[in-house]
Amino acid sequence: MYEDLFQLARTTSAPQAVINDGILDTEVLEKMKYTKEWLIEELSKRSLTTDEVFLAQLDDDGFLTLDLYDWTRKKDKPKPIPNSNP
């Protein structure tokens, strides 16, 4: 059992930065066998652009971790409910 855990630890690598300070690193994406289009689509699913991302990291399993410049974006804030009382 312990041998399997050690083998697993050796086959995975640390997450790699694919966006740093809003700049997409296509070399890292290609090395990890992902495309720029794939990453843009993943950001689009979250209504994000690369300009809004401070750091994006991708691991071997395709798990994407995002750190945004501003986590309190205006479009995410709920709209106030108008007061119906006169």
Side-chain angles (χ1 to χ4, degrees):
M1 177 169 165
Y2 293 112
E3 291 178 37
D4 292 340
L5 292 176
F6 291 122
Q7 181 63 29
L8 179 62
R10 281 186 261 144
T11 59
T12 59
S13 64
Q16 301 294 311
V18 292
I19 297 176
N20 194 358
D21 202 15
I23 300 170
L24 194 134
D25 190 333
T26 55
E27 287 182 32
V28 173
L29 275 172
E30 289 172 5
K31 178 181 169 188
M32 297 185 75
K33 310 241 187 294
Y34 287 90
T35 65
K36 175 182 175 180
E37 292 76 21
W38 173 84
L39 182 56
I40 299 297
E41 177 65 26
E42 290 301 307
L43 293 176
S44 176
K45 289 177 186 177
R46 296 162 176 84
S47 300
L48 294 170
T49 65
T50 55
D51 294 339
E52 297 172 283
V53 179
F54 173 69
L55 178 67
Q57 294 180 306
L58 181 64
D59 70 12
D60 289 339
D61 296 324
F63 184 76
L64 188 61
T65 304
L66 302 172
D67 289 313
L68 305 181
Y69 284 110
D70 183 10
W71 282 97
T72 59
R73 297 179 302 159
K74 289 181 182 176
K75 60 184 167 185
D76 291 341
K77 290 182 180 177
K79 294 180 182 177
I81 300 172
N83 189 352
S84 60
N85 295 335

